[in-house]
Amino acid sequence: MKEFKLFLGLCFLFLNYSLMAQIEGEVIKPFKANFLLTNATIYTVTNGVLEDHDLLIENGLIKAIGRDLPEQNHTIIDCTGKFIYPGFIDGGTSLGIVEINSLQETQDYMELGKVTPQMQALTAVNPNGVAIPVTRVSGVTTVLTQPRGGYFPGTAALINLNGYTPEQMYGGFKGVNMNFPSTARSGSYDNRSLSDLDKAAKESLEEIDALWEKAATYLSIKKKGGELEYYPEMEQLSKVLAKELPLLIEVNAAQDILSSLAWAKEKQITPILTGVAEGWKVADKIAAAGIPVITGPVLTLPTRNSDNYDAPYNNPALLQKAGVKVALRTMDAENVRNLPFHAGFAAAYGMGSEEALKSITINPAEMFCLSEQMGSLEEGKNATLFIADGDPFEPKTQIQQVFIKGYRIPMTNRHIRLYQEFLNREMQP
């Protein structure tokens, strides 16, 4: 049965890839050229909204933004009545390393063992994943794809959603993932007492501390030029201690968030907190620690039955208003395309459109130390942007064109082709 499921899955993938490569007999590919986008309303994010402006793309970069830019040897796209936004950034996904959620053979997000920080998510990325075109035509151009499971499940990587190889897709950021020990129940089937939960979390943290001490010893020997045996786990963790790689700490329960802040202070590191589902309960403490947060999903249920139904919707706004730098994530694989609607809910539930837009553009770019390259529309930055006919947080809005690092992306995917196929069904005799 397992072999049969694998066979069906591979057939499904082959069919999808064949469909992806052809439309009406023509091969559709991203292509790079010089473009002049004229007469648009430009949401720069960092420099306000510019009405009736042009944007010039040359050699993959934003060459100029202004009025009445000269028309030279450029492909001109009239954007009258249209809006230009920077490409959206999802701060946490499994895109590219999970293909079909119901087929284990197409999932590559978890390794055996609790301590595998050296495992690279980028290596596992499938550039031909069917969900990638589905995601990018929705304006989501860049995502952090990350492993899961264990104490240190691996190293996450930022990828741009265009390229033939993982290396071509690499967006310039990597970070080691850590799952902070949880004192919360893992589900309705978890019948452990509160004291048992606390005990298990304490024991797990002691194991992590022992690993941390071992990594510190490894780094000390390495700095002194000592001879080291092959130990990839400690090699990767030592890079976190040496501040060569950031640490992404997954933590959600309020009590655990406070414990993670104390742990990070003790270890003298400034991590990025991810998840932070109950961050609204301790937002002031997170703000005081000066630690940024990637929270989400927003479109989900509360962590506790006693919480209000809209607790996840309010969480980003309450964190942001407390002074925390907030980015959003979908923590999805197949529906990363819904990132704009996660941000839309955050905007409607107190965050406001301006801050919600920042949470999926410039804020994650700053957290990843890439604000000189992406996250806003400014001269000299990568031409990663999209053209829309309205507010991208509204479901009725149509994304009409996407550019990733200057490449004009074909506005098609499997969903669109199926829609077109069945819109007007005709049977030939």
Side-chain angles (χ1 to χ4, degrees):
M1 177 62 72
K2 186 175 182 180
E3 289 76 10
F4 180 66
K5 285 174 63 182
L6 176 59
F7 173 75
L8 288 179
L10 293 175
C11 291
F12 173 79
L13 294 179
F14 179 78
L15 176 61
N16 283 335
Y17 298 157
S18 299
L19 286 171
M20 191 183 306
Q22 298 182 16
I23 180 170
E24 297 180 357
E26 296 183 7
V27 176
I28 304 297
K29 295 183 177 181
F31 70 93
K32 198 172 189 178
N34 295 332
F35 300 93
L36 180 60
L37 315 183
T38 63
N39 307 313
T41 298
I42 301 176
Y43 280 76
T44 67
V45 177
T46 51
N47 294 309
V49 180
L50 306 178
E51 303 279 353
D52 194 24
H53 271 61
D54 303 340
L55 187 148
L56 178 62
I57 299 174
E58 287 187 0
N59 301 317
L61 301 175
I62 299 174
K63 180 69 174 180
I65 298 176
R67 281 196 170 99
D68 302 321
L69 296 181
E71 299 179 4
Q72 300 174 350
N73 295 324
H74 304 114
T75 299
I76 299 173
I77 301 176
D78 184 9
C79 299
T80 301
K82 304 297 189 297
F83 306 86
I84 301 178
Y85 290 85
F88 291 162
I89 303 169
D90 192 317
T93 74
S94 299
L95 187 64
I97 57 177
V98 172
E99 190 67 31
I100 306 169
N101 277 324
S102 59
L103 191 63
Q104 186 177 0
E105 289 80 3
T106 68
Q107 301 174 8
D108 201 5
Y109 63 84
M110 186 183 299
E111 297 294 331
L112 294 175
K114 293 181 179 180
V115 187
T116 56
Q118 77 280 10
M119 303 308 295
Q120 302 287 331
L122 184 65
T123 302
V125 168
N126 175 15
N128 298 308
V130 176
I132 288 176
V134 172
T135 301
R136 67 191 183 190
V137 301
S138 299
V140 183
T141 58
T142 309
V143 305
L144 185 71
T145 191
Q146 60 189 61
R148 286 178 278 167
Y151 296 150
F152 296 97
T155 299
L158 192 71
I159 57 173
N160 294 307
L161 302 186
N162 180 42
Y164 291 106
T165 66
E167 290 72 21
Q168 289 177 347
M169 299 174 73
Y170 179 50
F173 171 84
K174 290 183 179 181
V176 174
N177 288 104
M178 171 184 168
N179 289 309
F180 198 82
S182 175
T183 58
R185 289 189 170 85
S186 53
S188 57
Y189 54 85
D190 190 343
N191 295 319
R192 289 177 295 172
S193 66
L194 294 178
S195 60
D196 286 342
L197 290 169
D198 288 339
K199 182 180 178 181
K202 183 179 179 181
E203 291 174 352
S204 295
L205 191 57
E206 288 173 354
E207 290 183 46
I208 290 174
D209 284 337
L211 291 167
W212 203 263
E213 287 300 317
K214 187 179 289 188
T217 302
Y218 184 96
L219 179 61
S220 177
I221 296 172
K222 182 179 177 181
K223 284 183 176 179
K224 293 176 181 178
E227 186 175 345
L228 292 165
E229 294 184 0
Y230 179 67
Y231 204 158
E233 295 93 334
M234 291 302 110
E235 175 66 25
Q236 193 73 346
L237 283 181
S238 71
K239 293 178 181 179
V240 177
L241 273 72
K243 296 181 170 52
E244 296 174 16
L245 283 174
L247 186 66
L248 306 170
I249 300 180
E250 178 75 14
V251 61
N252 284 289
Q255 178 182 335
D256 299 336
I257 293 170
L258 295 179
S259 297
S260 70
L261 295 178
W263 185 86
K265 184 178 181 180
E266 177 190 341
K267 305 304 179 187
Q268 297 181 345
I269 59 170
T270 303
I272 299 173
L273 297 187
T274 64
V276 199
E278 295 184 356
W280 57 278
K281 297 181 179 181
V282 290
D284 56 335
K285 301 294 192 303
I286 302 173
I291 292 178
V293 163
I294 300 173
T295 189
V298 177
L299 299 177
T300 190
L301 296 173
T303 54
R304 303 174 191 270
N305 292 333
S306 56
D307 291 338
N308 291 336
Y309 77 94
D310 58 357
Y313 310 157
N314 288 315
N315 188 40
L318 295 174
L319 285 166
Q320 182 265 322
K321 289 177 180 178
V324 180
K325 178 171 288 186
V326 178
L328 298 183
R329 68 177 190 179
T330 59
M331 209 52 190
D332 211 323
E334 298 173 351
N335 289 304
V336 181
R337 59 180 177 164
N338 288 332
L339 177 66
F341 309 134
H342 287 255
F345 265 71
Y349 280 80
M351 201 173 197
S353 295
E354 183 177 346
E355 291 298 328
L357 181 59
K358 288 181 180 179
S359 72
I360 54 174
T361 53
I362 194 62
N363 285 1
E366 290 176 348
M367 291 181 193
F368 302 150
C369 299
L370 294 171
S371 59
E372 296 300 316
Q373 302 176 34
M374 62 175 66
S376 64
L377 299 179
E378 300 178 55
E379 294 178 5
K381 289 194 175 185
N382 292 335
T384 300
L385 50 91
F386 64 87
I387 304 169
D389 64 2
D391 184 346
F393 295 168
E394 294 286 347
K396 68 178 182 179
T397 295
Q398 298 295 308
I399 309 298
Q400 300 187 334
Q401 188 59 65
V402 174
F403 295 85
I404 299 178
K405 298 184 76 172
Y407 280 87
R408 187 172 182 177
I409 302 300
M411 297 301 292
T412 185
N413 58 44
R414 186 171 186 270
H415 292 187
I416 293 172
R417 288 191 291 276
L418 287 173
Y419 171 78
Q420 293 170 340
E421 171 69 22
F422 290 96
L423 182 62
N424 296 302
R425 288 176 284 183
E426 295 181 2
M427 293 294 294
Q428 298 297 328

